Amino acid sequence: MITALSAAKAYAATQGGSLGGLGGIGGIGGLGGDAGPAAAGGFGDVLKSVMGDAMNASKKAEGMMAAQVQGKAELIDVVTAISSAESSLETVMAVRDQVISAYQEIMRMPI
C-alpha cells in the first residue's frame, strides 16, 4: 500500500528534490530547500498547474481528433494525444482521491 511519505518521496525524486529527515522536505511545496517556482506559490499553485496541464492535454486531444476527421492529422498522433490526456486525467483523479481520503481521516481524528 502506498503511504503519504512514499508518495512524497516519489514526487521529490521526480522533481529533483530530496527528502531529508522528518523536518527536511526539500522540493515539495517550498518546505526546506530551494524548490524553484513551487516554493513561491505553494501546494495550491502546484495543483492549479497540474489541472491546467490536464485541461491542455484534453484540448489538444480534441483538436487532434477534429484534425483527423478533416484528414489533416495522422491516426498515431491522435492516439498519442488521447493517451496523454487519459494519463493526465487519471493522475488528477488519483491526487483528488488521496486528498479526499486525507481530509476524511483528519475529520475522524478526535479533538
Side-chain angles (χ1 to χ4, degrees):
M1 180 174 179
I2 207 165
T3 64
L5 184 58
S6 63
K9 285 181 181 179
Y11 178 78
T14 61
Q15 296 301 316
S18 63
L19 287 175
L22 292 175
I25 301 177
I28 299 177
L31 298 176
D34 183 26
F43 186 68
D45 287 337
V46 171
L47 286 180
K48 284 182 186 178
S49 173
V50 170
M51 288 297 296
D53 291 346
M55 287 177 30
N56 288 338
S58 295
K59 288 180 183 178
K60 180 181 177 187
E62 289 175 6
M64 292 297 287
M65 285 187 287
Q68 169 61 25
V69 169
Q70 296 171 356
K72 297 179 182 177
E74 294 293 323
L75 184 60
I76 189 68
D77 295 332
V78 176
V79 172
T80 303
I82 291 172
S83 177
S84 175
E86 182 180 15
S87 175
S88 296
L89 181 61
E90 287 175 359
T91 302
V92 168
M93 288 173 34
V95 170
R96 179 207 61 190
D97 292 345
Q98 289 295 319
V99 168
I100 290 171
S101 174
Y103 174 77
Q104 289 173 341
E105 191 165 329
I106 289 170
M107 294 307 292
R108 284 192 296 263
M109 288 182 181
I111 296 177

